Amino acid sequence: MSMWMYDDILEEQGFHNLREEVKNLEKEYLDLRVQLRDTETNLGLDPDNEYLKAKVKYLSKRLQHIEEKGPRLAADYPLEMSLFGAPHG
């Protein structure tokens, strides 16, 4: 047993698995947002394209599903601001 709690946490495999899962979710979320941005730009250039309309709808649904799994991804302010930012008042 180590002297510090943080040393014990880093040794646990569950913590590493959770951290990896969150990292993968954030990566997928960012990738989908970039794809959606590019697709919406292309749709603005060609508004009658049915394929682009369907792709925008599909990407939006996937983003919504990920935001339900991790609501902090779509928050206006990062969680770290409320925890470590300047106090209110």
Side-chain angles (χ1 to χ4, degrees):
M1 181 168 180
S2 65
M3 188 178 212
W4 303 97
M5 178 194 78
Y6 297 111
D7 294 337
D8 289 338
I9 289 175
L10 293 176
E11 292 173 1
E12 293 181 18
Q13 186 62 31
F15 177 73
H16 288 292
N17 292 343
L18 178 64
R19 197 165 75 181
E20 190 66 30
E21 183 178 329
V22 169
K23 189 170 28 170
N24 289 337
L25 187 66
E26 289 174 344
K27 184 178 178 183
E28 181 182 3
Y29 184 74
L30 179 62
D31 183 49
L32 287 173
R33 291 210 32 187
V34 169
Q35 286 182 30
L36 181 62
R37 180 199 64 200
D38 295 343
T39 305
E40 286 176 338
T41 301
N42 292 336
L43 184 61
L45 299 174
D46 186 13
D48 296 330
N49 191 334
E50 293 298 323
Y51 172 74
L52 292 176
K53 288 179 184 178
K55 189 172 181 180
V56 166
K57 188 175 179 182
Y58 171 74
L59 292 172
S60 298
K61 283 185 180 181
R62 284 193 57 197
L63 277 174
Q64 184 180 10
H65 178 68
I66 290 177
E67 288 171 356
E68 290 171 2
K69 288 170 86 175
R72 72 173 188 85
L73 294 171
D76 290 335
Y77 298 100
L79 177 64
E80 292 83 7
M81 285 300 294
S82 18
L83 295 174
F84 306 112
H88 67 289

